[in-house]
Amino acid sequence: MRDNDDTALLAAAVREAYERAAPVEIIAGGTRREFGRAPTGTPLSVARHAGIVAYDPSEFVVTVRAGTPITELEELLSQEGQVLTVDVPRFGAASTIGGAVAVGLTGPGRPYTGALRDAVLGARIVSGTGEVVRFGGQVLKNVAGFDVSRLMVGAYGTLGLLLDVSVRTARRPEAEEIVRLDRDWPTARVALRGWDSALPLTGACYAGGVLHVRLAGLAARVAEAHRIMGGEIGDAAVFTDLRDLRGAFFDRPGDLWRLMVPPESPWDPEDTVIDWAGAQRFWRVAGDATVVYELAARLRGQAMRLFGGDRSVGPWAIPPPATMALMTRVKAALDPRGILNRGRLYPAW
Amino acid sequence: MPIEATLGSIGRMNQTVEPSHHHLPAAFMRRLRRILPADGLLQKSTEVAAYECDGLPVYRARPRAVALPRIAAEVGQVLALCAEYQVPVVARGAGTGLSGGALPHPEGIVLSLARMNRILALDPDNRTARLEPGVRNLAVSEAARSHGLFYAPDPSSQIACTIGGNVAENAGGVHCLKYGLTTHNILALKFFDADGALHEIGGPTGEWPLDLAALLTGSEGLLGVVVEATVRLWPKPPSTVAYLAAFRSLEAAAASVSEVVALGLVPAGLELMDGLALSAAQAYTGIAYPEGSAAVVLAEVDGDDLTVALEGERLRAIFTAQGAFAVEQAVSDEDRRRLWLGRKSAFPAVGRLAPDYYCMDGTIPRRSLVAVLTEIGELSRRYGLPVANVFHAGDGNLHPLILYDAAIQGQLEQVEALGADILRLCLVHGGTISGEHGVGVEKLDGMCAQFTAAELATFHALKSAFDPHHLLNPGKAVPTPARCVEAGGMHVHGGHQPFPHLERF
């Protein structure tokens, strides 16, 4: 794995951009550039800032530079029989851990193994003024100072340039198995609710009239769980494709949305894939975004535009004015001249 | 109002700072009274006396008034009024915090959320509960029990402490190794900022364009006042077994914890009690620990029967290999309750060994447990102050309890110096000065050691985004640069070397 520390160079670049009030577009692997709105600014690459800062397998925490490709990180962890605790999407070999944290998506394991933000223990960033600051740490419990490192997750790089992150790892499960069951969605949902306390689920999605369940853990337990559930052996690619938003449903052009809703929510729309045991619903729907936002609001959930279609929409609905103003003040606290990924998350940032 | 000036007037060692002779404006008090229910404003010194301190009673101050709203709208109006008159506000739950986070401001009011204690909704199908901030932590699990669900964070004060306070402190507990801290169990928050503007953040999965919930959780009342929290409920596991492993040395017990962690096991709880804590617990609860125990490790595994059996066997094997001379097992609810009783009552039990005790709270990497506990033992001998260790070993969260007598002149200062040395140890080993009790007023100087001036400035900038006039719990949690200069201004970032020039914090 490449081991190169570009901290000084990146901090200097942001500092210069701050002094000139000239926006920069933060790029690493470049595989997530289509997510969110189109930013303005000179590209600033973090790709060379790669490698492991600290890794003690017995502690189950790795501190890794933002430009490190996810697959390379996983390769290193696998030499110790470990994996990241959470399902991290990637979009090719160039996809980096920094990009994953910035966009903040979590794959199908989310309801069972947690969100990416749950796995982040600390981060070192370059602030919008070019200062190198560190928040959180490498230990599991830490309440000293505000939790700025988690704030970075999903902020699309608008609050800081990520230098390195400390994330949790876990022992690789002894066994993994995919089970497919033919069910209608309401029946599937009832079954999932019964299983998730007792069986070692690490994923549950529903597409094309089929419930796909991923089991992982001790071999004896996985086998026992499969026996209890019934169904046929499924295809592991169902879950990796879903994680990486790949395959027939995702590869088409046009707007791709995700709705985060209470898992029991009723669901009528066509052209969807249900993930996270019901809590996340991918939806292919063209045209007016307000239709999507309204459905999400009706279900007391949220909608986020992922990619495809009109980049000037989303990714999130604009919150009420007082809250938008608060978020804008938070943005200004970390990036006072609005130079980091300008326009990526909201038009005026 | 200059934060440092007000901090300087906070009483120490059972001296209470009386409000200065400047009264809050009569118009302010009149309007405040109009906002609140008839019995919702306390002003008499006998009434406000109960609010002088939180769970860290060495710091005391008397507020000008205590506001007790019953509904969210009243909270917003109180905050807007305080913003108008520039009156400091200290939000308070049950006052069980251990770092002085709810210490009143002598020029301001206390905003008690204790009467807003309704469970607004329980949704067993979606496994969530919508709560007012004054709901007691344990009441959530009690309400969820009939649905086979529970609320996971379980700080030892869970009988009394409130959800609002838990959010403010990012409370943990004995089961957070597996189920996470408060921050991992909050899905949505409604809160007022310092100007009294209401914000609703989060949602069914907790996601939001900016993770403001993460920022609010653990912010110690500096950023906003939470008036509603939606929390995640977990299905009660079908089977739970607790283990008690007895060791002849503290080092062997600590090493066994490191080994459990290193092998990748994640029990629901993994706690350690040293000899002093054991004898205190034994005297207090009547629970007999195996004869000759110098330390015990308590572990709990939960899940389906098969998992519990398999993981339990692994645990037992590790404990035995690491030198445990006895491993007991508790399966029934009653047996487990008894086994945990000693742990959960350890603080009051230790409290009976001396007139006073001081509870520390730092986190270290689990690999450093043996080294740090050994060094704490040496420090204890050097200072001549007994230290009991009873803590969340599985996540490296230490709680050394320093025994002392506040009536002895100068002993509290000795205790603080020892505490500072212990926190320095945590930093040197790559840890943090607070794992779950918060910074409050207690660890402000420690913050100077853990963070650079630029990092502290970032915290202040974020505070200003929520609270431009620094009226919400001012002077807590984040020290000013001036204070850090005074405290020595030293900085040990991630510290991998000793810092002899760092005098004390």
Side-chain angles (χ1 to χ4, degrees):
Chain A
M1 184 184 295
R2 191 165 25 158
D3 183 28
N4 177 56
D5 184 351
D6 267 355
T7 300
L9 198 141
L10 291 165
V14 176
R15 177 81 204 170
E16 201 210 325
Y18 167 74
E19 278 162 4
R20 297 192 299 116
V24 293
E25 181 191 2
I26 305 162
I27 298 176
T31 60
R32 291 182 177 80
R33 282 182 90 177
E34 295 307 309
F35 285 79
R37 311 172 65 86
T40 53
T42 313
L44 175 59
S45 178
V46 186
R48 280 176 39 80
H49 183 67
I52 302 299
V53 178
Y55 177 38
D56 175 353
S58 74
E59 207 59 37
F60 291 88
V61 177
V62 64
T63 302
V64 58
R65 294 195 187 99
T68 309
I70 297 161
T71 47
E72 286 184 28
L73 172 62
E74 287 181 336
E75 176 62 36
L76 176 92
L77 298 179
S78 83
Q79 289 167 19
E80 301 291 338
Q82 295 190 3
V83 292
L84 293 167
T85 53
V86 292
D87 235 353
V88 182
R90 78 286 317 258
F91 307 96
S95 248
T96 63
I97 190 75
V101 171
V103 174
L105 298 176
T106 311
R110 166 77 163 88
Y112 307 102
T113 54
L116 179 54
R117 59 91 85 176
D118 296 333
V120 171
L121 299 177
R124 211 165 54 102
I125 63 168
V126 182
S127 74
T129 57
E131 276 182 293
V132 176
V133 280
R134 182 202 311 248
F135 301 101
Q138 299 177 353
V139 291
L140 301 192
K141 282 164 101 175
N142 186 353
V143 294
F146 302 142
D147 195 348
V148 180
S149 53
R150 276 199 182 90
L151 184 64
M152 295 296 142
V153 184
Y156 280 81
T158 60
L159 302 181
L161 178 146
L162 289 162
L163 286 171
D164 55 60
V165 290
S166 298
V167 290
R168 295 183 68 173
T169 67
R171 199 172 49 168
R172 189 196 306 123
E174 200 175 278
E176 185 176 290
E177 213 161 283
I178 313 297
V179 178
R180 51 170 292 156
L181 302 117
D182 293 319
R183 299 277 157 92
D184 61 40
W185 168 243
T187 316
R189 174 62 205 155
V190 171
L192 286 171
R193 211 190 320 146
W195 290 333
D196 73 355
S197 59
L199 303 180
L201 270 64
T202 62
C205 64
Y206 188 83
V210 178
L211 173 66
H212 304 266
V213 176
R214 184 171 59 190
L215 299 162
L218 300 170
R221 209 180 155 213
V222 167
E224 171 71 3
H226 190 173
R227 194 189 60 74
I228 292 168
M229 293 168 63
E232 302 156 31
I233 297 232
D235 180 4
V238 169
F239 284 95
T240 46
D241 283 356
L242 186 56
R243 178 193 67 195
D244 301 343
L245 309 177
R246 199 166 55 193
F249 176 80
F250 295 104
D251 292 343
R252 291 180 279 154
D255 296 279
L256 176 67
W257 289 86
R258 59 191 279 255
L259 276 75
M260 289 142 280
V261 296
E264 293 283 330
S265 301
W267 191 242
D268 302 310
E270 301 277 312
D271 212 1
T272 68
V273 170
I274 298 178
D275 191 12
W276 293 0
Q280 177 167 253
R281 302 175 189 201
F282 294 103
W283 190 13
R284 283 283 187 191
V285 54
D288 192 2
T290 52
V291 175
V292 185
Y293 291 135
E294 274 168 14
L295 176 61
R298 203 160 56 239
L299 298 173
R300 292 192 292 110
Q302 268 107 36
M304 177 192 185
R305 206 185 66 86
L306 283 164
F307 52 70
D310 184 358
R311 287 194 78 181
S312 71
V313 171
W316 299 86
I318 307 273
T323 304
M324 191 66 220
L326 173 64
M327 283 168 53
T328 303
R329 295 196 299 272
V330 168
K331 159 78 172 168
L334 290 154
D335 179 18
R337 292 192 177 163
I339 56 164
L340 301 176
N341 281 358
R342 184 179 286 177
R344 186 90 190 254
L345 194 55
Y346 289 105
W349 291 20
Chain B
M1 179 163 314
I3 294 164
E4 290 308 304
T6 57
L7 256 187
S9 66
I10 285 162
R12 287 287 312 278
M13 293 190 66
N14 305 327
Q15 291 176 315
T16 300
V17 172
E18 295 289 339
S20 65
H21 58 276
H22 302 290
H23 290 289
L24 293 173
F28 170 83
M29 290 308 300
R30 207 164 44 236
R31 289 172 64 187
L32 186 60
R33 187 173 292 285
R34 220 178 295 146
I35 292 167
L36 295 161
D39 60 349
L41 183 64
L42 309 181
Q43 275 183 280
K44 294 198 194 99
S45 64
T46 49
E47 292 173 329
V48 301
Y51 296 84
E52 276 177 7
C53 64
D54 61 8
L56 184 65
V58 294
Y59 295 94
R60 286 170 187 272
R62 190 161 291 183
R64 296 310 186 90
V66 178
L68 293 144
R70 284 196 187 272
I71 57 169
E74 292 165 4
V75 173
Q77 289 169 40
V78 168
L79 289 168
L81 185 69
C82 289
E84 187 183 331
Y85 286 85
Q86 298 282 290
V87 173
V89 186
V90 177
R92 178 184 174 103
T96 55
L98 294 170
S99 56
L103 175 74
H105 192 290
E107 310 289 329
I109 68 162
V110 164
L111 179 57
S112 168
L113 287 313
R115 288 186 183 171
M116 291 177 58
N117 60 359
R118 290 175 302 167
I119 295 175
L120 298 170
L122 198 85
D123 182 347
D125 289 344
N126 289 306
R127 290 180 181 153
T128 60
R130 207 152 54 79
L131 311 165
E132 287 190 328
V135 173
R136 289 178 307 111
N137 174 295
L138 191 59
V140 185
S141 287
E142 283 170 353
R145 184 176 299 142
S146 62
H147 303 285
L149 303 171
F150 72 105
Y151 178 60
D154 58 344
S156 54
S157 56
Q158 70 178 148
I159 297 170
C161 67
T162 64
I163 291 297
N166 290 175
V167 172
E169 301 294 325
N170 190 15
V174 295
H175 289 101
C176 56
L177 183 57
K178 179 169 178 179
Y179 295 100
L181 304 159
T182 301
T183 192
H184 303 112
N185 287 280
I186 295 291
L187 298 172
L189 293 174
K190 282 187 195 174
F191 69 96
F192 286 103
D193 65 22
D195 290 332
L198 182 66
H199 305 283
E200 298 186 34
I201 55 171
T205 62
E207 282 180 68
W208 183 252
L210 292 184
D211 198 345
L212 297 187
L215 209 50
L216 261 286
T217 308
S219 66
E220 305 193 24
L222 268 72
L223 302 183
V225 177
V226 171
V227 290
E228 192 180 303
T230 303
V231 302
R232 173 182 186 180
L233 301 175
W234 291 77
K236 197 171 180 298
S239 177
T240 306
V241 178
Y243 290 87
L244 183 152
F247 294 85
R248 297 210 191 276
S249 78
L250 177 60
E251 290 72 19
S256 80
V257 170
S258 298
E259 186 69 5
V260 168
V261 170
L263 290 176
L265 275 96
V266 185
L270 189 58
E271 302 279 308
L272 193 151
M273 295 170 75
D274 73 4
L276 189 53
L278 288 177
S279 55
Q282 194 155 330
Y284 188 73
T285 62
I287 290 171
Y289 293 99
E291 185 76 35
S293 300
V296 303
V297 173
L298 296 165
E300 193 164 279
V301 289
D302 64 17
D304 59 284
D305 294 344
L306 185 59
T307 305
V308 168
L310 293 171
E311 289 188 357
E313 275 321 297
R314 287 188 178 194
L315 272 181
R316 185 186 281 278
I318 293 168
F319 291 141
T320 306
Q322 296 289 319
F325 68 89
V327 181
E328 294 175 3
Q329 180 178 328
V331 178
S332 75
D333 281 357
E334 176 54 25
D335 286 353
R336 277 191 295 115
R337 195 193 62 79
R338 273 186 62 78
L339 195 139
W340 279 110
L341 181 65
R343 166 64 185 92
K344 292 214 170 186
S345 55
F347 286 15
V350 169
R352 298 218 303 195
L353 298 180
D356 300 282
Y357 74 90
Y358 203 100
C359 176
M360 303 301 302
D361 163 49
T363 304
I364 54 166
R366 285 81 51 99
R367 62 172 174 267
S368 304
L369 279 171
V370 174
V372 171
L373 288 172
T374 304
E375 289 182 71
I376 289 175
E378 281 163 18
L379 285 169
S380 166
R381 276 187 294 279
R382 198 184 314 153
Y383 279 87
L385 292 165
V387 175
N389 286 290
V390 43
F391 63 99
H392 313 301
D395 37 36
N397 186 192
L398 303 173
H399 287 323
L401 302 170
I402 306 170
L403 306 183
Y404 73 106
D405 183 353
I408 297 172
Q409 185 80 28
Q411 197 158 72
L412 177 60
E413 284 69 22
Q414 280 292 101
V415 168
E416 288 185 316
L418 169 54
D421 280 343
I422 291 173
L423 293 186
R424 184 186 305 152
L425 260 181
C426 293
L427 287 182
V428 166
H429 283 269
T432 175
I433 59 158
S434 183
E436 59 179 4
H437 293 173
V439 172
V441 288
E442 182 200 14
K443 288 179 177 163
L444 283 168
D445 292 345
M447 289 290 286
C448 307
Q450 188 164 333
F451 294 99
T452 64
E455 288 154 359
L456 294 171
T458 305
F459 293 146
H460 284 294
L462 285 167
K463 167 138 180 86
S464 297
F466 288 77
D467 176 16
H469 303 293
H470 289 217
L471 295 174
L472 296 179
N473 214 4
K476 309 280 180 62
V478 184
T480 58
R483 184 187 174 108
C484 287
V485 169
E486 212 168 283
M490 299 309 165
H491 173 65
V492 278
H493 217 150
H496 294 291
Q497 42 194 306
F499 291 86
H501 53 286
L502 190 71
E503 264 319 294
R504 67 182 289 272
F505 52 73

